[in-house]
Amino acid sequence: MRKIDIGNVGLMCSEISLGCMRMAGHTTAEIAQLVDTAINCGINFFDHADIYGRAVGPGESERIFAQAVKELGIKRDALVLQSKCGIVPGVMYDFSKEHILTSVESSLKRLNTDYLDILLLHRPDTLMDIDEVAEAFKTLYDTQKVRYFGVSNHNALQMQLVAQAVPGKIVANQLQLSLTNTSMIDCGLNVNRTEDAAINRDDSILEYCRLNKITIQAWSPFQSSKIKGVFLNHAKYPKLNKEINELAQQKGVTDTAIAVAWILRHPANIQVIVGTTNKERLAQMTKATNTMLTREEWYKLYCAAGNVLP
């Protein structure tokens, strides 16, 4: 598994991260097997959020992950732990100092750790007081409870605003990206045109992150916004799946590995977050790091997903 330097600050992390959203509801033994598979495949990065697993109980995914890590006897310094805060489900977004500090303290307790490697602000809070955020971040940084900070689902100008509050720099922005969710790529390929693909919906976030050496973390790499579920083997995407399956057969990997390899092929050094709880599927996905797509293959998949090159 290749390693990338998250945010170009010396934090070396696996290109593929295990997203822990769906861990709640599984047994400790099942999650221990999943985490053990991840470690054996070279994954050292685990993505959490304070709301993951809330259907079972507050922060349940963090809690069961910590139990699995304890059972496996994995040392803390072998892991890169990231969590997120700011969403009060179904009610509001909350970047108040009190909410940030309370959320982090709760996550630390559930994860059975003294610190988070990275804390992300989960969704933009339009009522954010940047001074409050700065106070919260300074407290967390000075007490060594959070090493680095970032955001999720923020555009470029929102990131510039948050950057005023960050000790050091923003290291990551977690954004949806897959073969069927490519708006951050589309607008750059359709500059000075009138097609819908030319609409800059993301504030040139891809270029902004590259210029500022901020790592994009791609979430939902198999999901499509046009359907319920994944695009892999879905009837709505026959051409795309034909191309994916042909490449998978040629390269001796699964369709999931090709979908992940497509994202990793981009020179922005994107990190891919996969949310599976199936250890066999996880092992198959990690083969993407050794599956290189040519430029022609990359563009062929992009067009097969329904995109048209101008």
Side-chain angles (χ1 to χ4, degrees):
M1 175 79 66
R2 296 192 299 264
K3 295 291 191 296
I4 59 175
D5 184 357
I6 295 289
N8 200 41
V9 294
L11 185 61
M12 303 306 295
C13 305
S14 51
E15 282 188 301
I16 294 177
S17 162
L18 181 58
C20 302
M21 178 186 291
R22 298 180 178 88
M23 288 186 174
H26 292 270
T27 66
T28 301
E30 290 171 336
I31 298 305
Q33 291 178 5
L34 179 69
V35 173
D36 188 53
T37 298
I39 296 294
N40 289 332
C41 289
I43 293 175
N44 71 340
F45 194 105
F46 298 88
D47 175 65
H48 294 271
D50 58 354
I51 62 169
Y52 288 174
R54 67 182 184 274
V56 178
E60 179 63 17
S61 290
E62 291 179 326
R63 187 190 67 79
I64 196 167
F65 172 85
Q67 287 184 341
V69 167
K70 182 178 180 180
E71 185 175 292
L72 292 168
I74 301 172
K75 294 183 179 180
R76 174 63 181 89
D77 59 7
L79 306 174
V80 179
L81 298 183
Q82 171 176 281
S83 196
K84 300 182 284 294
C85 71
I87 297 178
V88 182
V91 180
M92 61 182 176
Y93 302 132
D94 189 350
F95 287 0
S96 66
K97 177 181 178 181
E98 180 183 4
H99 183 82
I100 292 171
L101 294 179
T102 300
S103 175
V104 170
E105 290 292 348
S106 298
S107 287
L108 292 176
K109 183 177 181 179
R110 289 189 295 263
L111 288 167
N112 191 30
T113 183
D114 295 327
Y115 68 96
L116 295 174
D117 291 285
I118 306 174
L119 173 69
L120 304 184
L121 296 177
H122 206 159
R123 287 272 179 184
D125 174 16
T126 193
L127 299 182
M128 172 183 65
D129 181 330
I130 195 63
D131 292 331
E132 271 199 68
V133 175
E135 289 176 11
F137 283 2
K138 186 177 188 305
T139 297
L140 294 170
Y141 185 78
D142 288 348
T143 56
Q144 300 182 2
K145 293 180 179 179
V146 176
R147 297 178 64 196
Y148 301 102
F149 299 87
V151 295
S152 180
N153 307 295
H154 282 54
N155 66 28
L157 285 176
Q158 289 169 333
M159 292 178 72
Q160 289 184 52
L161 182 59
V162 173
Q164 298 178 53
V166 174
K169 60 167 288 188
I170 291 177
V171 300
N173 189 1
Q174 195 169 116
L175 299 159
Q176 187 172 16
L177 176 64
S178 72
L179 267 162
T180 56
N181 290 277
T182 55
S183 63
M184 71 174 73
I185 293 172
D186 302 341
C187 62
L189 291 175
N190 290 273
V191 173
N192 199 37
R193 297 185 67 85
T194 59
E195 291 85 354
D196 285 349
I199 298 172
N200 190 347
R201 294 180 171 86
D202 303 298
D203 197 17
S204 299
I205 193 64
L206 175 60
E207 290 75 20
Y208 179 85
C209 287
R210 294 184 72 180
L211 283 168
N212 291 277
K213 300 187 184 304
I214 296 167
T215 299
I216 291 175
Q217 299 176 341
W219 58 269
S220 288
F222 313 117
Q223 294 285 334
S224 170
S225 59
K226 298 178 182 179
I227 59 174
K228 291 184 178 180
V230 302
F231 58 79
L232 295 172
N233 297 314
H234 195 284
K236 187 175 180 65
Y237 296 100
K239 185 176 181 180
L240 175 59
N241 279 289
K242 178 177 180 294
E243 297 296 342
I244 289 175
N245 292 331
E246 287 180 359
L247 279 173
Q249 186 173 11
Q250 291 172 19
K251 298 177 185 294
V253 296
T254 61
D255 54 358
T256 55
I258 294 297
V260 172
W262 183 84
I263 298 174
L264 295 180
R265 172 64 175 82
H266 198 283
N269 288 324
I270 297 169
Q271 184 185 43
V272 180
I273 299 175
V274 297
T276 185
T277 55
N278 183 302
K279 63 180 183 178
E280 288 81 16
R281 193 171 296 128
L282 176 63
Q284 293 166 353
M285 292 174 186
T286 61
K287 293 182 180 179
T289 61
N290 294 316
T291 303
M292 177 55 68
L293 299 181
T294 66
R295 184 183 297 267
E296 183 177 354
E297 288 168 341
W298 190 94
Y299 274 105
K300 193 172 185 179
L301 287 172
Y302 177 75
C303 293
N307 299 298
V308 178
L309 296 181

